[in-house]
Amino acid sequence: GENVEQHPSTLSVQEGDSAVIKCTYSDSASNYFPWYKQELGKGPQLIIDIRSNVGEKKDQRIAVTLNKTAKHFSLHITETQPEDSAVYFCAASNGFQKLVFGTGTRLLVSP
Amino acid sequence: ETGVTQTPRHLVMGMTNKKSLKCEQHLGHNAMYWYKQSAKKPLELMFVYNFKEQTENNSVPSRFSPECPNSSHLFLHLHTLQPEDSALYLCASSQDVTVTGELFFGEGSRLTVL
């Protein structure tokens, strides 16, 4: 079955810096890669996703890149702000909403 | 109300108790899910329902019993749990299991088993 590894487990940056979180997956049939943000006391919320027919996708300060050959995808957050502090989860799916999640990255943005 | 609502938000129970977690979605979705979230572990899919029918049971122990009376409501009945079952239980919904897309999560029910 699919296995998703996520690094780093914690990431501390200064406000205004960029943050990068990386994930690798094992199943070459996976074709959908979402990223979720979980704030304290809340459930995870989708922030961006990418499908296997696209190499990069941007939405304002966040972007996701996908390298199908290497089987890895990354989340990039530019100009980080304190409200970006949260736990971020990557996931992979080969269909039928059977998402396999990574272990999460705790991002701390210091003012 | 909008979105996915879970009750109770916090629950403490003994190993011999019986309790239930409730989830309700107001999004008109057809698929509902139970996930278990433990510290330092990936979210674990427990059960999936599509149009009220269970489509996935991810080898979950029988002390967890799901119920889906309609597409808007999902329950997780708990009995004779173990301390290692203490976790955050998240309910989610999506349009349909056959289409990969956004999962909408509730805020979770924090369960502590003494």
Side-chain angles (χ1 to χ4, degrees):
Chain A
E2 175 66 278
N3 181 52
V4 176
E5 295 192 0
Q6 183 172 348
H7 300 281
S9 57
T10 59
L11 180 60
S12 294
V13 300
Q14 291 292 121
E15 183 176 359
D17 288 350
S18 295
V20 180
I21 303 170
K22 299 181 179 181
C23 288
T24 60
Y25 61 97
S26 60
D27 186 352
S28 56
S30 289
N31 54 22
Y32 175 66
F33 307 90
W35 285 89
Y36 283 82
K37 175 184 181 182
Q38 186 173 24
E39 297 177 343
L40 198 60
K42 301 279 184 71
Q45 184 173 13
L46 180 73
I47 55 171
I48 196 168
D49 57 12
I50 192 168
R51 297 184 187 269
S52 58
N53 58 346
V54 176
E56 183 175 3
K57 185 176 179 181
K58 289 184 179 179
D59 183 3
Q60 299 182 8
R61 294 187 298 108
I62 60 173
V64 57
T65 58
L66 172 64
N67 183 327
K68 287 188 294 182
T69 303
K71 295 210 271 296
H72 66 70
F73 57 112
S74 300
L75 177 71
H76 304 254
I77 306 174
T78 59
E79 299 173 26
T80 53
Q81 301 167 4
E83 52 264 38
D84 294 328
S85 296
V87 180
Y88 292 80
F89 293 94
C90 63
S93 169
N94 62 5
F96 294 97
Q97 283 286 45
K98 293 186 73 171
L99 287 173
V100 177
F101 285 86
T103 49
T105 296
R106 184 173 300 277
L107 174 65
L108 176 61
V109 181
S110 303
Chain B
E1 284 195 66
T2 58
V4 180
T5 304
Q6 290 188 241
T7 55
R9 293 294 310 279
H10 300 273
L11 178 62
V12 179
M13 58 187 290
M15 293 167 62
T16 58
N17 292 159
K18 287 186 179 181
K19 297 286 185 182
S20 295
L21 306 181
K22 178 183 176 182
C23 177
E24 184 173 2
Q25 58 97 0
H26 304 270
L27 300 168
H29 290 162
N30 299 307
M32 296 189 77
Y33 311 75
W34 279 117
Y35 280 87
K36 177 182 179 182
Q37 185 173 34
S38 306
K40 311 258 169 121
K41 294 175 75 173
L43 273 74
E44 299 173 56
L45 179 63
M46 301 175 71
F47 301 103
V48 181
Y49 280 82
N50 199 44
F51 293 94
K52 303 190 303 177
E53 299 298 319
Q54 188 179 116
T55 59
E56 186 90 17
N57 177 336
N58 206 20
S59 303
V60 180
S62 59
R63 57 186 184 271
F64 294 91
S65 175
E67 179 189 0
C68 188
N70 54 60
S71 292
S72 298
H73 294 86
L74 184 64
F75 296 88
L76 188 62
H77 303 300
L78 317 169
H79 61 99
T80 58
L81 294 190
Q82 306 297 311
E84 60 264 29
D85 296 322
S86 298
L88 182 69
Y89 289 85
L90 290 163
C91 173
S93 71
S94 72
Q95 190 60 47
D96 188 296
V97 296
T98 62
V99 178
T100 49
E102 184 171 2
L103 284 177
F104 292 80
F105 284 90
E107 295 189 328
S109 294
R110 172 74 61 185
L111 173 66
T112 302
V113 181
L114 301 176

